[in-house]
Amino acid sequence: MGQYVLPDLPYDYSALEPHISAQIMQLHHDKHHAAYVKGANTALEQLAEARTKNDFGKIALLQRALAFHVSGHVMHSLFWQNMKPKAGGQPSGDLGAAVTRDFGNFDAFRAQLNQAAATIMGSGWGALCWDPVGKRLFTTQIYDHQSNTAMGSVPLMVIDAWEHAWYLQYQTDKVKFFESLWNLWNWDDISARFRSASTLALGLDRAASA
Ligand code: MN
């Protein structure tokens, strides 16, 4: 059975400087992300053990651990690929058109996503998601790694708003961190995710008007 694994960063630790320091990237990937991978595999093992023993006394804890750690793994894996050195600008093509259609214009989208990230109470993420039911883009404000999401939606572009993502470099100015990320967004990656998510069919066509 497949295990979750920590993917290598697609660039060097220092590649995203000055926007994200090499120290943050190393700790964030090698320690924090790695811990979610380990936690996800541990939760699966403990669920298998519970089935073997037919002892589900800790099932609620295990389900919460599974959701938390798998989501932490997915979100960090996305975050690394969503960025690249010397990037930024605006999306073009189908994604650019969809942003304009669903948010009015790029600047409104950028402001909305930054505000979603900046106003999280506690730890969480801001995200651009594709809703395959309404067939639209929307932003979400995710608590921890997995809560406060719309079921069925697919994250395309994510902003890590946990303190571990920025505190060593930005201290109390997390808004500056969120702004600086717009120099790093890899629109080729995000556009490819958009194209792929756009083909997802949940079989709920009667749940929204065309
Ligand atoms: Mn993180």
Side-chain angles (χ1 to χ4, degrees):
M1 193 166 63
Q3 292 251 311
Y4 296 108
V5 296
L6 180 66
D8 289 338
L9 285 175
Y11 32 70
D12 293 338
Y13 296 124
S14 62
L16 304 184
E17 289 185 341
H19 310 294
I20 308 179
S21 73
Q23 182 190 28
I24 285 180
M25 289 302 295
Q26 185 163 12
L27 290 169
H28 201 171
H29 175 268
D30 295 4
K31 301 296 181 186
H32 294 281
H33 187 173
Y36 300 126
V37 174
K38 186 164 187 284
N41 288 322
T42 299
L44 283 179
E45 285 163 18
Q46 290 176 341
L47 282 162
E49 191 181 330
R51 288 193 298 278
T52 302
K53 294 179 176 172
N54 193 29
D55 176 5
F56 293 101
K58 292 183 177 167
I59 186 70
L61 276 176
L62 291 177
Q63 296 286 196
R64 177 162 173 75
L66 183 71
F68 178 81
H69 291 291
V70 171
S71 299
H73 178 32
V74 168
M75 296 296 278
H76 285 91
S77 299
L78 267 173
F79 189 45
W80 309 138
Q81 293 196 43
N82 279 168
M83 298 184 289
K84 69 176 183 181
K86 300 184 179 66
Q90 299 187 15
S92 56
D94 290 348
L95 178 60
V99 164
T100 301
R101 182 193 67 205
D102 294 337
F103 297 98
N105 58 64
F106 178 79
D107 288 342
F109 156 64
R110 174 176 166 151
Q112 181 172 324
L113 184 54
N114 272 2
Q115 279 299 305
T119 56
I120 290 166
M121 290 184 265
S123 297
W125 299 73
L128 172 68
C129 294
W130 172 250
D131 163 28
V133 179
K135 300 195 188 322
R136 64 166 62 86
L137 297 167
F138 53 41
T139 59
T140 59
Q141 185 179 68
I142 296 165
Y143 306 152
D144 297 329
H145 302 302
Q146 77 281 16
S147 304
N148 203 40
T149 61
M151 296 305 292
S153 67
V154 181
L156 307 176
M157 169 187 179
V158 299
I159 295 178
D160 193 337
W162 285 57
E163 281 190 359
H164 68 221
W166 46 269
Y167 200 84
L168 285 174
Q169 185 175 0
Y170 290 90
Q171 281 86 50
T172 58
D173 198 358
K174 64 180 176 183
V175 169
K176 193 174 169 198
F177 168 66
F178 301 140
E179 285 292 339
S180 73
L181 291 176
W182 295 84
N183 298 298
L184 298 173
W185 295 124
N186 179 350
W187 294 114
D188 290 338
D189 175 76
I190 298 161
S191 295
R193 295 180 190 289
F194 172 65
R195 280 195 297 278
S196 175
S198 300
T199 66
L200 177 61
L202 295 185
L204 298 174
D205 289 350
R206 296 171 65 185
S209 62

